Amino acid sequence: MPFVDQMFNRLAGKGWYCFLDGHSRYNQISIDLEDQEKTTFTCPYGTFAFKGMPFRLCNASVTFQCCMMSIFSDLVEDTIEVFMDHLSLVGDSFDGCLDHLAEVLKRRFIKDFSKIAQALCQLLEKECMFDFDDAFLRGFGELKEKLVSAPIIN
């Protein structure tokens, strides 16, 4: 987590600000299958475990911030500040702030990335056999196409 006073010092003196809230984006970070049992809770209908990271899970905010910092590493401390699930964009002018906002919103995200990459991510599991099945091939091909086509790479 960044020091808030240092973050505010970098934001001070800027004329324009834009704030983006990553509300509920924690849920897009999958919890490892082995760790899902740690999130188990009971209710009158049975027991349930989270598959995606819930907001109040210990270290959820830090984990999410680490993800955001890696995504925006080239912009952090220059045009953007990341604090937990909040993005603060700054500019010396209105147009400059809009340019920074456009830079954040394009070339960074692939719609439904976690769904597309699910078969590929399973290869990261411990002692997983490499199985080049149709789901893997489909996911690999779709990600490859999205990564080499605009607006991801210009």
Side-chain angles (χ1 to χ4, degrees):
M1 301 291 282
F3 292 106
V4 176
D5 59 334
Q6 292 174 359
M7 185 178 75
F8 284 143
N9 286 338
R10 287 190 296 269
L11 294 173
K14 300 294 183 180
W16 295 88
Y17 300 90
C18 179
F19 301 99
L20 301 174
D21 188 357
H23 177 70
S24 298
R25 299 303 176 238
Y26 296 90
N27 298 327
Q28 294 182 3
I29 299 175
S30 298
I31 297 176
D32 189 84
L33 188 59
E34 294 175 3
D35 294 328
Q36 287 179 10
E37 69 181 42
K38 298 173 187 171
T39 68
T40 302
F41 63 96
T42 59
C43 70
Y45 305 105
T47 58
F48 297 91
F50 286 100
K51 292 183 178 181
M53 189 178 309
F55 178 73
R56 295 183 186 260
L57 186 66
C58 181
N59 294 329
S61 58
V62 174
T63 302
F64 187 76
Q65 175 150 353
C66 287
C67 290
M68 297 305 288
M69 294 291 281
S70 66
I71 291 170
F72 297 110
S73 62
D74 59 327
L75 300 175
V76 171
E77 297 182 4
D78 183 33
T79 59
I80 189 173
E81 290 292 333
V82 178
F83 186 75
M84 293 174 38
D85 66 338
H86 302 285
L87 300 175
S88 301
L89 292 94
V90 296
D92 294 323
S93 67
F94 180 72
D95 289 335
C97 196
L98 285 181
D99 289 342
H100 295 157
L101 178 62
E103 192 173 352
V104 165
L105 296 177
K106 69 176 187 178
R107 301 179 66 236
R108 306 270 175 191
F109 303 100
I110 296 175
K111 185 176 175 29
D112 296 327
F113 176 83
S114 61
K115 292 177 186 173
I116 298 168
Q118 184 175 8
L120 301 172
C121 291
Q122 289 175 350
L123 293 175
L124 299 174
E125 294 176 6
K126 196 178 251 184
E127 299 177 16
C128 176
M129 290 188 59
F130 182 78
D131 186 15
F132 204 78
D133 61 3
D134 289 339
F136 178 87
L137 187 58
R138 190 171 38 257
F140 180 79
E142 190 172 347
L143 277 180
K144 178 182 164 189
E145 178 61 33
K146 290 184 181 289
L147 288 171
V148 298
S149 63
I152 303 300
I153 295 178
N154 292 326

